[in-house]
Amino acid sequence: MDPLLGHTEDALESGSVYTKQQRIAELAARMPTAGLTSLAYHIDKGWLYEAYQQTRKDGAAGVDKMTAAEYEQNLDENLSSLLERFKSGSYFAPPVKRVYIAKEGKKGAKRPIGMPTLEDKILQRAVVMLLSPVYEQDFLDCSYGFRPGRSCHQALEALWKAVMSMGKTCWVLEVDIKSYFDTVKHEHLRAFYKKRVRDGVIQRILGKWLKAGIMEDGALRYPPEGTPQGGVVSPLLSNIYLHEVLDVWFAQQVRPRLKGKAEMVRYADDFVFVLSDGEDARRVLEVLPKRFGRYGLEIQKEKTRLLKFSRPSGRGQGKPGSFTFLGFTHYWGRSRKGNQVVKRKTAKDRLSRSIKRVHLWCKLNRHLSVKDQQQRLRSKLQGHYGYFGITFNSRSVACFYEQAKRSWQKWLNRRSRNNPMPWERFNRLLMRYPLPEPRIVHRFS
């Protein structure tokens, strides 16, 4: 067997994309330290077609102004051309169009949005489909973001279990990385993915995406660092970076040297440490900036803090405080049985932003028919419940529901002087056009 799996991979039979992914995963699992030399040949026109199917078609056009409808008119020919350019190395990674949108909760602040071309998104999706089976064998259990079969709610449950397992004493270290996606160092990222990806075609296309420029207000520039703006491949590359810089380092070098228990939960660039010993927690806080500094990352001190989050003793020692992770505030409370448990509620700023969004939508869309408004509002409420509807958060979810009703009534009442909508009439309207009642979707222990 070829030590780099080249001969073995060449022997793989053709089949569906899913079948190929399964075999790639099996090979990667059997050879956890090997570099894979024959990956690109798995990508054929059928693979690209599946990548096209998985690519969002409703996004804004990139610098080439090509829409999905236009691309689909000659889909077979376009995918054939894309495959040939990818395999031959002649594919040119176009610059990413960048625009700015208002940042919620911060007046005057804006955040950048990257818009790759449709063809670039298709090829990036194809490469992600190829590399994900490899890296799913490498990534650790502490990582949950942008991984197949993993979710925010699984990360929240893992965090809950970690805190509850620490006993009476618990320390939580909240960490924020300053402008993470814009500060990833290309030289380190290349070194990381080359450990596993030895295929020259895949290395070449990843390098092109890292070098692709950004088109902003008609000006083209080439950032020397950061992951591809708005790219489908960006979350995977970001996970590879933090897997090496943070996850493996903590699991293999830090945790074995600590006195007490320690766990880490990471979702993309959001992560927290949970430790049973205060001295251990302070040591991690001290060494973490040094570790990140070696790889060009910086801790944002204003948003990083160490919190003693022990179970309340009931002896006048004050409240244990709270911390926020993935949009939820975590705090100590009592269950129905009277036991001390960690509860979660929608973070105050997230709840406020959600309410303001619905209020603004009702204001701007009050001209639509009541039926159309109700259908859109149903979708918005169900989406909110789908994320924030977790155990112990019924009060916040109910608050969102009540505020959504108030906003709808207010702007229906204002859309016509001759046809007002007082509460009595609005309540009758709700019987015909009901909004979904608040509910708990995710039930954790």
Side-chain angles (χ1 to χ4, degrees):
M1 181 183 295
D2 188 300
L4 296 182
L5 304 188
H7 295 166
T8 305
E9 288 179 89
D10 289 339
L12 288 179
E13 300 174 359
S14 62
S16 69
V17 171
Y18 177 77
T19 301
K20 291 179 180 179
Q21 288 177 318
Q22 289 293 102
R23 292 175 178 174
I24 293 170
E26 291 170 4
L27 287 169
R30 287 205 302 267
M31 305 288 284
T33 60
L36 307 183
T37 59
S38 300
L39 287 170
Y41 88 96
H42 291 295
I43 298 181
D44 53 21
K45 192 151 66 170
W47 190 289
L48 283 182
Y49 179 77
E50 180 63 26
Y52 174 78
Q53 291 296 101
Q54 294 185 24
T55 299
R56 285 187 58 180
K57 314 298 190 302
D58 57 351
V63 294
D64 64 352
K65 300 181 180 180
M66 174 70 74
T67 66
E70 294 170 336
Y71 195 84
E72 202 167 274
Q73 290 177 2
N74 297 296
L75 183 60
D76 187 76
E77 185 179 321
N78 287 332
L79 292 182
S80 295
S81 172
L82 177 60
L83 180 64
E84 191 280 327
R85 284 177 283 137
F86 164 65
K87 291 292 183 73
S88 66
S90 62
Y91 178 79
F92 169 75
V96 176
K97 182 180 178 182
R98 175 185 271 185
V99 296
Y100 290 85
I101 63 173
K103 203 168 186 179
E104 289 183 313
K106 295 184 178 179
K107 189 175 182 180
K110 294 185 177 181
R111 64 186 181 95
I113 297 293
M115 295 182 292
T117 64
L118 176 67
E119 194 168 63
D120 210 41
K121 287 189 283 188
I122 295 169
L123 189 54
Q124 287 192 29
R125 175 63 65 190
V127 172
V128 169
M129 288 162 50
L130 184 72
L131 296 183
S132 287
V134 175
Y135 281 102
E136 280 303 302
Q137 314 312 309
D138 298 352
F139 290 157
L140 304 185
D141 287 341
C142 63
S143 167
Y144 291 87
F146 304 108
R147 294 180 57 185
R150 293 192 154 221
S151 67
C152 296
H153 296 99
Q154 289 175 330
L156 290 166
E157 186 173 14
L159 177 59
W160 188 90
K161 290 179 177 178
V163 174
M164 294 298 294
S165 70
M166 290 294 159
K168 293 183 179 180
T169 304
C170 176
W171 294 79
V172 173
L173 176 57
E174 297 179 84
V175 184
D176 186 86
I177 306 176
K178 187 175 182 180
S179 302
Y180 170 65
F181 292 96
D182 294 329
T183 56
V184 168
K185 297 293 183 182
H186 291 175
E187 63 269 25
H188 296 307
L189 180 55
R190 290 191 189 94
F192 292 152
Y193 67 65
K194 285 181 179 180
K195 290 181 181 181
R196 273 305 231 171
V197 181
R198 301 282 181 85
D199 186 303
V201 176
I202 302 300
Q203 287 187 2
R204 183 164 56 241
I205 193 63
L206 290 177
K208 287 181 178 181
W209 283 324
L210 291 179
K211 294 178 181 178
I214 294 176
M215 181 72 72
E216 186 176 339
D217 295 329
L220 180 61
R221 63 184 185 87
Y222 296 91
E225 53 193 33
T227 54
Q229 288 285 321
V232 178
V233 75
S234 184
L236 176 62
L237 294 178
S238 300
N239 266 339
I240 293 172
Y241 204 80
L242 281 181
H243 169 74
E244 297 283 352
V245 174
L246 179 62
D247 301 357
V248 173
W249 170 73
F250 179 73
Q252 297 182 1
Q253 299 184 40
V254 177
R255 187 158 54 189
R257 292 181 170 87
L258 301 178
K259 295 185 297 183
K261 294 190 294 183
E263 299 290 344
M264 184 187 73
V265 178
R266 180 173 70 83
Y267 190 93
D269 62 326
D270 292 328
F271 61 97
V272 293
F273 298 97
V274 181
L275 308 101
S276 62
D277 184 85
E279 184 179 342
D280 285 345
R282 287 184 284 272
R283 289 171 60 193
V284 173
L285 178 59
E286 180 182 357
V287 73
L288 190 62
K290 300 175 184 177
R291 171 68 179 181
F292 276 13
R294 288 178 54 188
Y295 295 95
L297 302 179
E298 183 180 351
I299 299 297
Q300 190 153 332
K301 296 180 180 179
E302 298 80 9
K303 296 183 180 180
T304 298
R305 65 169 185 150
L306 179 60
L307 167 72
K308 188 173 184 181
F309 194 66
S310 302
R311 296 173 187 253
S313 64
R315 299 176 182 175
Q317 295 184 1
K319 295 183 179 181
S322 62
F323 67 94
T324 300
F325 183 62
L326 296 181
F328 290 91
T329 296
H330 298 65
Y331 63 100
W332 283 101
R334 289 194 178 273
S335 67
R336 291 182 179 180
K337 297 180 180 180
N339 299 321
Q340 291 178 341
V341 295
V342 175
K343 293 187 173 184
R344 289 152 298 192
K345 62 183 178 181
T346 309
K348 187 176 180 180
D349 61 334
R350 290 291 293 271
L351 180 58
S352 177
R353 292 205 304 266
S354 297
I355 291 171
K356 288 178 180 178
R357 277 201 302 267
V358 170
H359 186 82
L360 181 61
W361 186 91
C362 290
K363 176 182 178 181
L364 298 178
N365 293 275
R366 62 187 185 274
H367 62 281
L368 299 177
S369 69
V370 171
K371 183 178 180 180
D372 287 342
Q373 291 187 51
Q374 182 243 13
Q375 290 176 345
R376 296 285 294 276
L377 285 171
R378 282 182 63 88
S379 177
K380 292 179 183 298
L381 266 67
Q382 288 170 344
H384 187 88
Y385 303 158
Y387 186 79
F388 290 105
I390 69 172
T391 304
F392 301 127
N393 196 33
S394 57
R395 183 176 296 179
S396 294
V397 172
C399 175
F400 177 76
Y401 168 74
E402 291 297 331
Q403 292 299 323
K405 283 199 307 182
R406 289 175 180 272
S407 295
W408 196 23
Q409 183 274 334
K410 175 179 179 177
W411 293 109
L412 284 178
N413 187 46
R414 290 192 177 188
R415 74 174 182 170
S416 173
R417 293 182 179 179
N418 299 324
N419 191 25
M421 184 66 66
W423 272 101
E424 182 179 354
R425 184 184 173 198
F426 178 72
N427 287 329
R428 291 198 303 270
L429 179 140
L430 283 178
M431 296 178 67
R432 184 177 178 184
Y433 299 102
L435 295 178
E437 298 280 340
R439 64 191 183 96
I440 300 301
V441 178
H442 307 277
R443 298 191 180 275
F444 301 145
S445 302

